[in-house]
Amino acid sequence: KWKEIARSSAWVFPSPRTKGQPIHDVRKALLRAKKKAGITKHIYPHLLRHSLATHLMEKDVNLRTIQEILGHANISTTEFYTHVTTDIKRKALEKVTTLKTLKNQ
């Protein structure tokens, strides 16, 4: 039943207690989920924004699009949210290597 509610809800965090209406206290819901999952690391709602921005970058979503999604007026704020992972750096270097190889042919 809960999966039906989650799929049909327009909300990112629908609540099973309110039959699909939004969760108003995200911090409390996050702490409940943390406890249920056995997570010991300190987590907080704002961490979700950082994680989302980083995952979008990993999927090659451009920074301007991420800025729009997060609702930032200034691109430098978005840059702060996006953590460049080792995988992103590796992909960037592979692109440069590919370009050099094509240029030298």
Side-chain angles (χ1 to χ4, degrees):
K1 175 103 178 160
W2 166 239
K3 287 183 181 180
E4 285 178 35
I5 292 171
R7 270 190 247 126
S8 65
S9 178
W11 303 102
V12 176
F13 298 109
S15 171
R17 292 181 182 164
T18 59
K19 295 183 172 69
Q21 293 303 306
I23 293 173
H24 294 285
D25 189 347
V26 174
R27 181 176 304 277
K28 194 183 227 181
L30 189 61
L31 291 176
R32 273 195 313 268
K34 173 187 167 180
K35 184 177 180 181
K36 187 175 181 179
I39 297 170
T40 57
K41 181 181 176 183
H42 175 66
I43 59 173
Y44 45 94
H46 215 68
L47 184 62
L48 294 174
R49 288 177 64 85
H50 288 266
S51 298
L52 172 63
T54 301
H55 288 300
L56 290 172
M57 280 202 70
E58 288 172 347
K59 297 296 182 189
D60 292 328
V61 175
N62 73 46
L63 197 59
R64 181 73 176 97
T65 302
I66 297 170
Q67 176 189 7
E68 286 289 322
I69 290 169
L70 296 179
H72 294 150
N74 192 326
I75 196 83
S76 64
T77 306
T78 308
E79 289 170 346
F80 173 75
Y81 273 79
T82 54
H83 303 283
V84 181
T85 64
T86 304
D87 191 46
I88 292 171
K89 291 175 192 174
R90 183 186 49 74
K91 285 180 185 177
L93 291 173
E94 285 174 358
K95 288 178 183 178
V96 171
T97 304
T98 302
L99 289 174
K100 281 184 182 179
T101 303
L102 290 174
K103 187 177 180 181
N104 292 331
Q105 289 180 355

